[in-house]
């Protein structure tokens, strides 16, 4: 079993190793989406700093069919 701190963030915690991002049962070798929780959180901090520098913020958008999307807008 892989240590939780070194495990991919997208591995399902339901008792079997299943990728919740790619909808596959086993992680592909050299998966380009693989991130530990620490790597994921660092990426989120980095993205927020880039948005801040550009005067933008994250916002939720729903289209006419009710599909949820994440977008950006000018910070208030």
């Amino acid at each position: 079993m892989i240590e939780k701190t070194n495990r991919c963030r997208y591995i399902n915690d339901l008792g079997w190793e299943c990728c919740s991002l790619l909808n596959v049962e086993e992680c592909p070798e050299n998966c380009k989406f693989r991130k530990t929780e620490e790597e994921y959180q660092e990426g989120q901090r980095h993205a927020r700093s880039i948005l801040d520098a550009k005067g933008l913020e994250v916002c939720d958008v729903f289209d006419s069919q009710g599909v949820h999307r994440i977008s950006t807008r000018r910070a208030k």
Side-chain angles (χ1 to χ4, degrees):
M1 186 167 160
I2 299 172
E3 239 182 88
K4 190 153 185 138
T5 56
N6 195 31
R7 230 173 92 165
C8 180
R9 173 182 208 285
Y10 301 110
I11 297 250
N12 200 328
D13 276 331
L14 298 175
W16 66 90
E17 292 197 3
C18 162
C19 181
S20 61
L21 185 67
L22 297 177
N23 196 23
V24 295
E25 290 189 20
E26 290 187 32
C27 291
E29 192 173 318
N30 300 321
C31 178
K32 64 182 177 181
F33 297 107
R34 185 187 190 292
K35 297 242 183 278
T36 64
E37 185 63 32
E38 186 177 303
E39 291 168 331
Y40 175 81
Q41 293 303 329
E42 177 55 34
Q44 292 295 304
R45 283 189 289 276
H46 181 67
R48 277 192 296 276
S49 71
I50 291 171
L51 291 177
D52 287 346
K54 293 180 177 186
L56 299 172
E57 65 184 7
V58 174
C59 65
D60 293 308
V61 177
F62 294 89
D63 68 16
S64 59
Q65 285 81 37
V67 175
H68 178 240
R69 300 184 194 283
I70 305 290
S71 189
T72 60
R73 65 180 174 211
R74 292 272 171 220
K76 296 178 182 177

